[in-house]
PDB file of all heavy atoms in Angstrom:
ATOM      1  N   VAL A 374      -7.842 -22.307 -13.297  1.00  0.00           N
ATOM      2  CA  VAL A 374      -8.511 -20.993 -13.280  1.00  0.00           C
ATOM      3  C   VAL A 374      -7.726 -20.024 -12.506  1.00  0.00           C
ATOM      4  O   VAL A 374      -7.772 -20.041 -11.325  1.00  0.00           O
ATOM      5  CB  VAL A 374      -9.957 -21.174 -12.757  1.00  0.00           C
ATOM      6  CG1 VAL A 374     -10.692 -19.856 -12.959  1.00  0.00           C
ATOM      7  CG2 VAL A 374     -10.699 -22.298 -13.401  1.00  0.00           C
ATOM      8  N   GLY A 375      -6.895 -19.163 -13.130  1.00  0.00           N
ATOM      9  CA  GLY A 375      -6.271 -18.067 -12.445  1.00  0.00           C
ATOM     10  C   GLY A 375      -5.091 -18.535 -11.646  1.00  0.00           C
ATOM     11  O   GLY A 375      -4.771 -19.681 -11.453  1.00  0.00           O
ATOM     12  N   PRO A 376      -4.339 -17.612 -11.089  1.00  0.00           N
ATOM     13  CA  PRO A 376      -3.160 -17.883 -10.255  1.00  0.00           C
ATOM     14  C   PRO A 376      -3.545 -18.398  -8.846  1.00  0.00           C
ATOM     15  O   PRO A 376      -4.650 -18.170  -8.401  1.00  0.00           O
ATOM     16  CB  PRO A 376      -2.462 -16.478 -10.140  1.00  0.00           C
ATOM     17  CG  PRO A 376      -3.578 -15.486 -10.229  1.00  0.00           C
ATOM     18  CD  PRO A 376      -4.544 -16.130 -11.177  1.00  0.00           C
ATOM     19  N   ARG A 377      -2.623 -19.183  -8.288  1.00  0.00           N
ATOM     20  CA  ARG A 377      -2.826 -19.685  -6.939  1.00  0.00           C
ATOM     21  C   ARG A 377      -1.631 -19.304  -6.079  1.00  0.00           C
ATOM     22  O   ARG A 377      -0.514 -19.035  -6.438  1.00  0.00           O
ATOM     23  CB  ARG A 377      -2.946 -21.210  -7.039  1.00  0.00           C
ATOM     24  CG  ARG A 377      -4.054 -21.706  -7.972  1.00  0.00           C
ATOM     25  CD  ARG A 377      -4.221 -23.173  -7.840  1.00  0.00           C
ATOM     26  NE  ARG A 377      -5.243 -23.584  -8.713  1.00  0.00           N
ATOM     27  CZ  ARG A 377      -5.709 -24.901  -8.854  1.00  0.00           C
ATOM     28  NH1 ARG A 377      -5.139 -25.779  -8.094  1.00  0.00           N
ATOM     29  NH2 ARG A 377      -6.784 -25.130  -9.588  1.00  0.00           N
ATOM     30  N   TYR A 378      -1.965 -19.321  -4.757  1.00  0.00           N
ATOM     31  CA  TYR A 378      -0.980 -18.981  -3.772  1.00  0.00           C
ATOM     32  C   TYR A 378      -0.809 -20.083  -2.684  1.00  0.00           C
ATOM     33  O   TYR A 378      -1.847 -20.754  -2.400  1.00  0.00           O
ATOM     34  CB  TYR A 378      -1.374 -17.646  -3.002  1.00  0.00           C
ATOM     35  CG  TYR A 378      -1.403 -16.508  -3.970  1.00  0.00           C
ATOM     36  CD1 TYR A 378      -2.590 -16.198  -4.706  1.00  0.00           C
ATOM     37  CD2 TYR A 378      -0.295 -15.545  -4.161  1.00  0.00           C
ATOM     38  CE1 TYR A 378      -2.597 -15.092  -5.562  1.00  0.00           C
ATOM     39  CE2 TYR A 378      -0.394 -14.523  -5.001  1.00  0.00           C
ATOM     40  CZ  TYR A 378      -1.517 -14.332  -5.646  1.00  0.00           C
ATOM     41  OH  TYR A 378      -1.575 -13.247  -6.534  1.00  0.00           O
ATOM     42  N   VAL A 379       0.370 -20.263  -2.220  1.00  0.00           N
ATOM     43  CA  VAL A 379       0.584 -21.270  -1.258  1.00  0.00           C
ATOM     44  C   VAL A 379       1.351 -20.698  -0.050  1.00  0.00           C
ATOM     45  O   VAL A 379       2.284 -19.841  -0.178  1.00  0.00           O
ATOM     46  CB  VAL A 379       1.441 -22.484  -1.904  1.00  0.00           C
ATOM     47  CG1 VAL A 379       2.749 -21.954  -2.319  1.00  0.00           C
ATOM     48  CG2 VAL A 379       1.703 -23.608  -0.886  1.00  0.00           C
ATOM     49  N   GLN A 380       1.014 -21.061   1.158  1.00  0.00           N
ATOM     50  CA  GLN A 380       1.688 -20.625   2.365  1.00  0.00           C
ATOM     51  C   GLN A 380       3.009 -21.442   2.532  1.00  0.00           C
ATOM     52  O   GLN A 380       2.956 -22.667   2.458  1.00  0.00           O
ATOM     53  CB  GLN A 380       0.783 -20.747   3.602  1.00  0.00           C
ATOM     54  CG  GLN A 380       1.628 -20.434   4.884  1.00  0.00           C
ATOM     55  CD  GLN A 380       0.695 -20.429   6.087  1.00  0.00           C
ATOM     56  OE1 GLN A 380      -0.370 -19.972   6.009  1.00  0.00           O
ATOM     57  NE2 GLN A 380       1.239 -20.992   7.125  1.00  0.00           N
ATOM     58  N   ILE A 381       3.993 -20.668   2.803  1.00  0.00           N
ATOM     59  CA  ILE A 381       5.322 -21.285   2.974  1.00  0.00           C
ATOM     60  C   ILE A 381       5.670 -21.387   4.454  1.00  0.00           C
ATOM     61  O   ILE A 381       6.304 -22.462   4.839  1.00  0.00           O
ATOM     62  CB  ILE A 381       6.415 -20.436   2.213  1.00  0.00           C
ATOM     63  CG1 ILE A 381       6.056 -20.286   0.784  1.00  0.00           C
ATOM     64  CG2 ILE A 381       7.818 -21.058   2.422  1.00  0.00           C
ATOM     65  CD1 ILE A 381       6.022 -21.603   0.043  1.00  0.00           C
ATOM     66  N   ALA A 382       5.457 -20.426   5.212  1.00  0.00           N
ATOM     67  CA  ALA A 382       5.808 -20.431   6.670  1.00  0.00           C
ATOM     68  C   ALA A 382       4.900 -19.604   7.456  1.00  0.00           C
ATOM     69  O   ALA A 382       4.204 -18.754   6.885  1.00  0.00           O
ATOM     70  CB  ALA A 382       7.281 -20.022   6.777  1.00  0.00           C
ATOM     71  N   GLU A 383       4.960 -19.745   8.753  1.00  0.00           N
ATOM     72  CA  GLU A 383       4.199 -18.956   9.740  1.00  0.00           C
ATOM     73  C   GLU A 383       5.191 -18.417  10.808  1.00  0.00           C
ATOM     74  O   GLU A 383       5.984 -19.098  11.335  1.00  0.00           O
ATOM     75  CB  GLU A 383       3.085 -19.725  10.396  1.00  0.00           C
ATOM     76  CG  GLU A 383       2.260 -18.960  11.398  1.00  0.00           C
ATOM     77  CD  GLU A 383       1.166 -19.742  11.998  1.00  0.00           C
ATOM     78  OE1 GLU A 383       1.195 -21.037  11.765  1.00  0.00           O
ATOM     79  OE2 GLU A 383       0.197 -19.186  12.581  1.00  0.00           O
ATOM     80  N   TYR A 384       5.046 -17.114  11.119  1.00  0.00           N
ATOM     81  CA  TYR A 384       5.957 -16.455  12.002  1.00  0.00           C
ATOM     82  C   TYR A 384       5.187 -15.991  13.279  1.00  0.00           C
ATOM     83  O   TYR A 384       4.044 -15.435  13.179  1.00  0.00           O
ATOM     84  CB  TYR A 384       6.566 -15.206  11.407  1.00  0.00           C
ATOM     85  CG  TYR A 384       7.610 -15.521  10.272  1.00  0.00           C
ATOM     86  CD1 TYR A 384       7.210 -15.748   9.004  1.00  0.00           C
ATOM     87  CD2 TYR A 384       8.961 -15.689  10.625  1.00  0.00           C
ATOM     88  CE1 TYR A 384       8.045 -16.026   7.994  1.00  0.00           C
ATOM     89  CE2 TYR A 384       9.867 -15.981   9.667  1.00  0.00           C
ATOM     90  CZ  TYR A 384       9.416 -16.181   8.334  1.00  0.00           C
ATOM     91  OH  TYR A 384      10.314 -16.476   7.346  1.00  0.00           O
ATOM     92  N   GLY A 385       5.737 -16.244  14.486  1.00  0.00           N
ATOM     93  CA  GLY A 385       5.133 -15.845  15.732  1.00  0.00           C
ATOM     94  C   GLY A 385       5.953 -14.862  16.459  1.00  0.00           C
ATOM     95  O   GLY A 385       6.857 -14.284  15.932  1.00  0.00           O
TER      96      GLY A 385
END
Side-chain angles (χ1 to χ4, degrees):
V374 188
R377 300 185 180 186
Y378 298 85
V379 59
Q380 176 175 315
I381 303 299
E383 181 178 13
Y384 291 87

